[in-house]
Amino acid sequence: MLKRIRHYFVWMSGILWFVLEYWSLGHVNQLLSAFFFFSWGAYMSVCGKDMIKEFNRYFKLSMVLYPLLAVLFVCSVHWFPWASDTIKRLNVFIGLLFAYNMASWLVVRGVCRPNPLLTSASFFVYVSHALICDDLPKLLFFLFRPETQGGMILVYLSSAVLAVGMILLAYCGLKRYAPSLLRLMTGRK
């Protein structure tokens, strides 16, 4: 379907992802989110597009808009709650461009070097993070019961680091003890 309909399919799923968030459709919204981003990545792969080259066209725009939208989101939650969902959606979309552009910039400038484990595990981390990222912060807040803003921030940030660490451990375990299962799970047949 992606070969025939090409970018129109990705645009259609992206518009649905953006617009249908305003209706409480339960897991349909999560499914649309996954469907949009997976189909976007699949489209880029199937059509032989280089994500870094494609996203680099929006380098300056993403560097300005992402931090701006982040600040606007924080402000909107308190002062304009009716706009916060829209700003968050825009920030997620622009954040993807920002992350690719920032990573590419850091590698090209020699600030960072690609880590073979992290590059091979990135897709696994991406598809797995949603399984624990909602519940892990809740568990950590329940266990540590932070009473200060600093404590809350520390628990929240440590939940992200812990989640990635747990997923990387699972990846390494699967790679060592069940490589065929890992290939099946990541679509590498």
Side-chain angles (χ1 to χ4, degrees):
M1 186 164 46
L2 288 170
K3 282 184 180 180
R4 289 182 185 215
I5 303 176
R6 303 182 63 83
H7 62 279
Y8 299 109
F9 178 78
V10 177
W11 277 105
M12 184 181 67
S13 62
I15 290 168
L16 287 173
W17 165 74
F18 192 87
V19 172
L20 291 182
E21 175 64 21
Y22 299 103
W23 290 276
S24 183
L25 302 174
H27 292 295
V28 171
N29 294 76
Q30 289 175 317
L31 183 63
L32 274 172
S33 180
F35 198 70
F36 168 52
F37 289 106
F38 279 110
S39 65
W40 189 6
Y43 161 75
M44 303 281 282
S45 177
V46 166
C47 295
K49 297 197 177 276
D50 180 357
M51 278 190 179
I52 300 300
K53 229 181 252 183
E54 294 290 325
F55 292 168
N56 197 34
R57 295 186 305 175
Y58 307 104
F59 182 85
K60 289 179 183 175
L61 184 67
S62 69
M63 294 298 146
V64 172
L65 278 182
Y66 182 68
L68 178 65
L69 287 169
V71 171
L72 282 174
F73 175 71
V74 170
C75 294
S76 72
V77 168
H78 298 290
W79 294 301
F80 309 105
W82 50 268
S84 63
D85 286 340
T86 301
I87 294 169
K88 182 179 180 182
R89 285 272 185 213
L90 289 171
N91 201 27
V92 166
F93 181 77
I94 298 296
L96 180 73
L97 301 175
F98 176 84
Y100 271 94
N101 283 324
M102 183 56 74
S104 173
W105 185 85
L106 290 170
V107 169
V108 167
R109 302 281 183 294
V111 176
C112 298
R113 289 183 319 210
N115 179 301
L117 170 66
L118 297 179
T119 55
S120 66
S122 63
F123 183 71
F124 184 79
V125 171
Y126 171 68
V127 297
S128 304
H129 80 281
L131 299 173
I132 62 174
C133 280
D134 283 344
D135 295 327
L136 190 59
K138 293 173 192 171
L139 176 65
L140 292 178
F141 276 104
F142 177 76
L143 290 174
F144 295 106
R145 300 182 193 277
E147 295 181 12
T148 65
Q149 291 282 352
M152 288 183 179
I153 291 170
L154 186 62
V155 167
Y156 183 74
L157 292 176
S158 63
S159 71
V161 171
L162 188 59
V164 171
M166 290 167 56
I167 293 169
L168 284 174
L169 280 173
Y171 176 82
C172 290
L174 286 167
K175 187 175 180 180
R176 182 171 184 171
Y177 298 109
S180 57
L181 177 61
L182 179 63
R183 283 191 300 276
L184 178 69
M185 292 170 69
T186 56
R188 295 186 179 128
K189 300 175 187 174

